[in-house]
Amino acid sequence: MSGSLGRVSAALLHLGRGVLLRGPARRTWSQTTERSSSSGGSGSGSTEYLDKLVKKDKVVVFLKGTPEHPQCGFSNAVVQILRLHGLTNYAAYNVLEDPALRQGIKDYSNWPTIPQVYLNGEFVGGCDILLQMHQNGDLVEELKKLGIRSALLDAKKDQDSK
């Protein structure tokens, strides 16, 4: 696992030119109004509640920690990829704050790991999938479908004009 994390970190450092980008996210789990540790009904682990969360914003990320302070390398990698594309305004939910949310989102997506990324209510994948989409240009296209212009397009345009 540490080999995968090392490759992800190396790829991000190469793509981001070694700069750690920091910036606030729109909302974190602790800022949501409806919190419950129960797994039934409208609690944080329920399908109904999670369905509302993933569809609430165009870009939603469930991670360990916060975008400002990720608590694992894979969550950090997802945050850095989104920042490379200029995204700082997205919904981010810290699964470490609520065990029901942590297990519930895994059950909801049928994906065993965190972080998890949703675009327009659709599950995209985790760190490995997002990194692959970033590398092959698919992430730029998916963001475009959401009406979000990737900052990488502007960076490329600036390089081409020099």
Side-chain angles (χ1 to χ4, degrees):
M1 191 97 115
S2 62
S4 296
L5 183 55
R7 286 190 297 278
V8 168
S9 298
L12 286 173
L13 286 174
H14 173 72
L15 293 168
R17 294 177 184 77
V19 177
L20 284 178
L21 306 170
R22 295 281 179 205
R26 176 182 195 87
R27 177 172 38 258
T28 62
W29 174 245
S30 60
Q31 294 171 320
T32 58
T33 55
E34 185 181 341
R35 289 186 66 192
S36 168
S37 60
S38 71
S39 60
S42 63
S44 59
S46 74
T47 300
E48 297 82 15
Y49 182 73
L50 292 168
D51 202 43
K52 287 178 187 176
L53 284 184
V54 302
K55 293 178 180 175
K56 196 178 214 179
D57 293 277
K58 290 181 180 181
V59 180
V60 178
V61 181
F62 294 87
L63 67 158
K64 293 179 182 175
T66 65
E68 297 80 18
H69 302 288
Q71 298 296 306
C72 87
F74 296 110
S75 291
N76 183 49
V78 165
V79 169
Q80 297 303 325
I81 291 168
L82 293 175
R83 286 184 183 150
L84 285 171
H85 288 269
L87 272 78
T88 57
N89 195 14
Y90 57 89
Y93 299 97
N94 181 358
V95 300
L96 297 178
E97 290 184 355
D98 186 343
L101 176 67
R102 185 177 186 169
Q103 186 56 50
I105 197 62
K106 291 176 183 180
D107 295 341
Y108 179 84
S109 64
N110 197 28
W111 190 262
T113 60
I114 303 292
Q116 293 187 14
V117 179
Y118 292 79
L119 299 178
N120 211 28
E122 297 292 322
F123 178 61
V124 172
C127 177
D128 54 344
I129 304 296
L130 198 68
L131 179 60
Q132 182 181 14
M133 290 176 69
H134 167 71
Q135 290 173 332
N136 68 20
D138 288 347
L139 185 54
V140 170
E141 293 305 314
E142 290 301 317
L143 292 173
K144 187 186 237 181
K145 291 177 188 175
L146 301 177
I148 300 171
R149 182 172 172 82
S150 171
L152 293 181
L153 292 175
D154 297 330
K156 184 176 181 342
K157 185 178 173 182
D158 290 344
Q159 281 183 340
D160 290 345
S161 66
K162 290 181 182 179

